[in-house]
Structure formats: structure tokens, C-alpha cells
Amino acid sequence: MPAHISPLGSIALVCAALASFILIWFLIKHPPIGSPTTKLWLFVGLGILPIGVASTGNIEGFKATKQREFCGSCHVMTPYSSDSNDPKSLALASRHARNKLFGNENCYVCHADYGMFGTVLTKMGGMRHVWHYALTYRKMTLEESKLAIHLRQPYPNENCMQCHSTKLDLWQKHPDHKASLDGVRTGKISCASAGCHGYAHPFTKPSTSASAGAAPVGSHL
Amino acid sequence: MNLVGRRGKVLRIACYFALLAIALMCWAVLDPRPLPVVIAMSVGQAIGTVSLGVYIVVVFVEIRNERQERANSLRPPPEEHTLRKSTLLRNHYGLDSFILTGDCGQITPAQIQLLRGRSGIQWIAAWKHHKVRDLLGYQSVQLGLVDTQYQVRTLTIKTKDKIGVRVGKVLNKYKVGKHFKV
């Protein structure tokens, strides 16, 4: 249950209450369906108000799917969300979660595909995650899931480059960046690899400890 | 169960389903976890859409039936309608004798029975050939109304052969040979 309901959520609930009132009135009172007044009320109760509930509910639903709590609500994702919540963690994901621009939506911001249809593709991918969770990962232990769950495709550098454009002088002055500029831009060298900024979720790698693979403290993001 | 009762029952079922859809959507708003959100955005909205669709169909049928009933109540019986028109032609236009023409739906046997006793009124109805043959058998068709010589007189061709060729072309094209004796 959310701590507080947003204005849109409140609108959805008010519309739902009004629609329910009209529908229950129709079911109890049995007014003549030929009457124009009945038709109008039913149109409001079956059409306008439920559409209001659905549209505001959709927006609320999409907003909810961006929250870290939403991602962490599947038990196999709790290590990832816990790591993001850990203020002492040096993992790449956790350090981004402490950035206000990412905040509580850090899972979505990093994993959402870039581009015109990125949001839609990400939502479709999310549906696939729900499907896999229901069929495969629901009964899996956390230890098993850490090794079993992996990205479907290598993490694209374009997602990092939404913020780190690789075009600023400060970025390009760094010797490693300078040497690997083309590889980073073409995706041949991953930003989130052991030799660079470390794994985003290092605890999922069997050969590394929780902080291994992370960039040293003080390095720029 | 009459039609109104059946439509009312369908609407009540739609209302129950709409309530279920609303409940699912509210569940997602109050408890935004993956399962409620996915169910609300798929099952909930599908049920709500179907409920609205049922309402639209029921109301459409209701309005159509109402219009049909209203039109039927305003329209006089066809026999009465024809007599009224005949009276109008006589009184308003001062016609003593006239010929009514129409298709088989406009001039029906029942109307002909009514018109038969009235002087100065004749009729031509476009019935199908089997109906015309039946009426010929009852001597109900007035062959005198049809000028059988007229078509031939207006033709520019005069010889039998040429007329036969021309008639043959028409009969072959429109497949109406069964109705004529050439």
C-alpha cells in the first residue's frame, strides 16, 4: 500500500467510487432501460467514469513501474534493490541510485532503452520479465537466482551515454576514455565492465566480492 | 422473457463486469505491485471495454427498435394509404380518371381488391412474370392498358428480318425471352 496516494490516484479512486455508485444504483433500483435518463447515467457509469479510472490508473501504473520498490517486489530482485538502497555500497548501480537524477527510479533510468520507442520496448521487456518470473524464477532461491538471472543482451553503452555524452572535454581528457573512445561509442567496450567502471551489480558475479569490480572511490561517473 | 427484459439482463451483467473491472483497476492504484498492475492494465481494462461495448450494442438496438416502432405507428396500412392517395388525386387535382403505377410492394393484391370497385381508377403493377400469369388466370390484369403496337410503330426499321435481328439482340442480352412471344 503506498504511503500516500498521488492526485492522479485520487482522481482514479473518485471516478471509481462514482461509477460504482451509479452501477449499484442501476442494479438495485432496476430503472427502465428505455428511459433516456437511465441510458445517460449508464453511459456515465459504464463509459465516461471507468475510462477516467483506466486512464488515470494507467498513468499511475506506469509511474509505479518505474519505482525501485516495484522492481524489487519480485523476491529474486531484492538483492539488487537492497544494494541500490545501501548507502555504503560501491557498486555502480548503487552509486547511481544515490544521484538525485536517478533516485528511486534508478533501475528504470538505467535499464530503459534509449530512442523513440524506448519506453514501449522497455515495458514490453518488463512484461517478459513478469512472464519469466511466473514460470521460472518464482520458486528459485536467491543464491541460485544471482547466477541464473542475466541480461538478455549486453548492456548497451547508449544508455550510459544518455547522461555521459562522451563529448565533453573533461571526459575526453581522461587517458582511458581517450584510448577507448571509438570502442565505447560503438559498444565494443562496455562501460560497466571489470576493467573500466566495474559491474553494475558485482554480487552477481561469482568471482568477485560485493565491492570488487567497482570503480575506486572518487572516480568520476 | 421479452426483448426488453433480455436487454435489461444483459445490461445488468455488463454492470457486474464493469464493477469487477473498476475493482481491479483500484487494486492497482492502491497496491502498485507487478501482479495488480499487470492484471489491471490487461484483464481489468479488457473487461471494462467489453462492458462498455455491450452497453453500446444494447442502446443501439434499443434506439433502432424505438425508431422502427415509431415509424410503424405513424405509417397507415398500405391499403388505406393507396385509397388516401386516390382521394387526394381526385379532390386536389380534379382528376376523374387516372392510372396508378408501382412495383409489387406498392400495389398489392389487397389494394387492387379495394381499387377494383372504384370507377376511373386503373393500375399498372410491376409484378414478376409468374405473378402476372397468375393474375392473367384470374383476369385481374387489364391488357387494354398496354399498347402492344406502340413499340413497333416507333421503330425505324420495318422489315420482319431486321426487326427479328434487333429483338434477338435484346433478348439475348437481357435474358427476357421467356416473357415474350416473338
Side-chain angles (χ1 to χ4, degrees):
Chain A
M1 186 79 69
H4 69 280
I5 297 170
S6 68
L8 269 182
S10 304
I11 291 172
L13 293 178
V14 169
C15 288
L18 292 174
S20 303
F21 178 77
I22 292 170
L23 296 177
I24 291 169
W25 163 78
F26 177 77
L27 291 171
I28 292 175
K29 293 289 183 184
H30 294 283
I33 62 167
S35 155
T37 312
T38 307
K39 283 180 195 152
L40 185 65
W41 278 115
L42 276 181
F43 179 64
V44 174
L46 280 168
I48 294 174
L49 289 172
I51 287 172
V53 179
S55 52
T56 51
N58 272 352
I59 297 170
E60 279 298 290
F62 281 127
K63 279 166 65 179
T65 58
K66 293 181 178 180
Q67 301 295 311
R68 191 189 310 149
E69 288 79 9
F70 184 89
C71 303
S73 57
C74 294
H75 79 282
V76 291
M77 285 290 122
T78 47
Y80 298 80
S81 60
S82 302
D83 183 55
S84 289
N85 281 330
D86 183 2
K88 294 178 182 174
S89 173
L90 297 177
L92 198 59
S94 180
R95 282 185 284 142
H96 279 86
R98 291 195 285 273
N99 187 328
K100 284 182 182 175
L101 291 174
F102 293 74
N104 205 29
E105 296 180 0
N106 67 315
C107 308
Y108 182 81
V109 174
C110 289
H111 285 282
D113 288 333
Y114 188 56
M116 188 174 183
F117 301 108
T119 305
V120 177
L121 294 174
T122 305
K123 297 298 174 194
M124 289 168 66
M127 287 303 298
R128 193 174 56 244
H129 293 168
V130 173
W131 177 258
H132 283 310
Y133 180 77
L135 293 185
T136 311
Y137 302 118
R138 193 164 52 88
K139 293 180 180 175
M140 196 175 271
T141 63
L142 286 181
E143 290 307 314
E144 288 172 335
S145 68
K146 280 180 187 175
L147 302 177
I149 294 175
H150 54 83
L151 285 177
R152 209 158 152 262
Q153 291 173 336
Y155 187 81
N157 283 350
E158 284 85 356
N159 289 5
C160 304
M161 288 160 63
Q162 292 180 67
C163 301
H164 311 286
S165 69
T166 72
K167 291 176 182 173
L168 295 179
D169 289 340
L170 184 64
W171 192 92
Q172 290 185 351
K173 275 180 184 172
H174 194 285
D176 290 341
H177 289 166
K178 204 172 183 179
S180 58
L181 182 61
D182 289 338
V184 169
R185 286 183 180 172
T186 57
K188 287 179 182 171
I189 300 172
S190 173
C191 306
S193 58
C196 296
H197 292 278
Y199 298 118
H201 308 290
F203 53 86
T204 60
K205 311 299 173 192
S207 60
T208 58
S209 64
S211 59
V217 178
S219 68
H220 57 274
L221 293 174
Chain B
M1 188 184 296
N2 59 20
L3 280 176
V4 173
R6 193 178 300 166
R7 284 197 288 271
K9 189 178 179 183
V10 170
L11 267 185
R12 279 195 288 279
I13 292 171
C15 287
Y16 283 119
F17 276 107
L19 283 171
L20 175 63
I22 289 169
L24 290 175
M25 289 188 269
C26 287
W27 181 29
V29 171
L30 294 171
D31 186 13
R33 286 180 301 153
L35 189 65
V37 170
V38 169
I39 288 177
M41 287 188 178
S42 53
V43 179
Q45 292 191 11
I47 293 174
T49 306
V50 169
S51 305
L52 179 59
V54 167
Y55 165 79
I56 289 171
V57 170
V58 168
V59 169
F60 176 76
V61 171
E62 182 80 16
I63 290 173
R64 194 190 61 182
N65 289 351
E66 274 178 13
R67 283 186 179 174
Q68 189 69 39
E69 284 170 14
R70 200 178 303 149
N72 287 342
S73 66
L74 293 175
R75 187 185 301 154
E79 298 81 8
E80 194 180 314
H81 179 72
T82 307
L83 276 179
R84 198 180 291 174
K85 289 288 180 191
S86 306
T87 310
L88 181 73
L89 286 169
R90 281 217 164 120
N91 298 342
H92 189 75
Y93 295 102
L95 298 175
D96 290 331
S97 63
F98 48 86
I99 300 170
L100 298 173
T101 57
D103 62 20
C104 56
Q106 290 171 320
I107 300 180
T108 62
Q111 289 170 335
I112 289 173
Q113 291 299 327
L114 279 175
L115 295 173
R116 182 168 287 147
R118 295 170 186 271
S119 62
I121 304 178
Q122 294 174 319
W123 58 90
I124 299 174
W127 287 313
K128 290 188 173 178
H129 77 283
H130 64 86
K131 189 73 180 173
V132 173
R133 288 195 189 286
D134 291 346
L135 290 172
L136 277 172
Y138 303 141
Q139 296 182 337
S140 297
V141 174
Q142 299 162 312
L143 288 173
L145 290 172
V146 182
D147 186 352
T148 53
Q149 301 299 312
Y150 179 74
Q151 297 293 330
V152 178
R153 280 206 304 270
T154 55
L155 288 174
T156 55
I157 51 176
K158 302 292 183 186
T159 62
K160 265 186 178 179
D161 298 343
K162 289 185 178 177
I163 291 173
V165 170
R166 181 71 63 85
V167 170
K169 277 184 184 174
V170 174
L171 293 184
N172 284 336
K173 185 174 181 183
Y174 295 105
K175 313 293 182 196
V176 290
K178 60 190 174 184
H179 304 306
F180 298 96
K181 287 178 182 173
V182 182

